[in-house]
Amino acid sequence: MMELQATGWKASRVFREGLEEGRAEGELKGKLKIVPALVARGFTVQEIAEILNLSVAQVQASQP
């Protein structure tokens, strides 16, 4: 607890790790959100996975 007071809670390792995890989750959600639009434009699951740097399984799971 003294460490948090001395350096501030934003400097804590737990905070930084949580922030990075949240950013990664947000980035993934954003990518998955555009998958249906790419499918509608005729891109294949494989092409979408390569473009968005996702796995084929992630792309398939995000389709309606």
Side-chain angles (χ1 to χ4, degrees):
M1 193 64 146
M2 294 296 284
E3 177 186 335
L4 290 178
Q5 292 174 349
T7 60
W9 60 273
K10 288 186 178 181
S12 74
R13 178 184 55 81
V14 173
F15 175 80
R16 289 190 317 269
E17 288 174 359
L19 185 63
E20 181 58 35
E21 184 178 319
R23 285 182 179 149
E25 286 179 26
E27 182 180 335
L28 177 60
K29 284 182 181 181
K31 288 179 178 182
L32 296 176
K33 190 174 183 178
I34 66 170
V35 168
L38 294 173
V39 169
R41 291 180 185 246
F43 287 92
T44 67
V45 170
Q46 182 64 36
E47 289 172 329
I48 296 169
E50 289 175 12
I51 291 167
L52 298 177
N53 197 30
L54 297 171
S55 70
V56 170
Q58 287 173 309
V59 173
Q60 289 172 333
S62 69
Q63 292 184 34

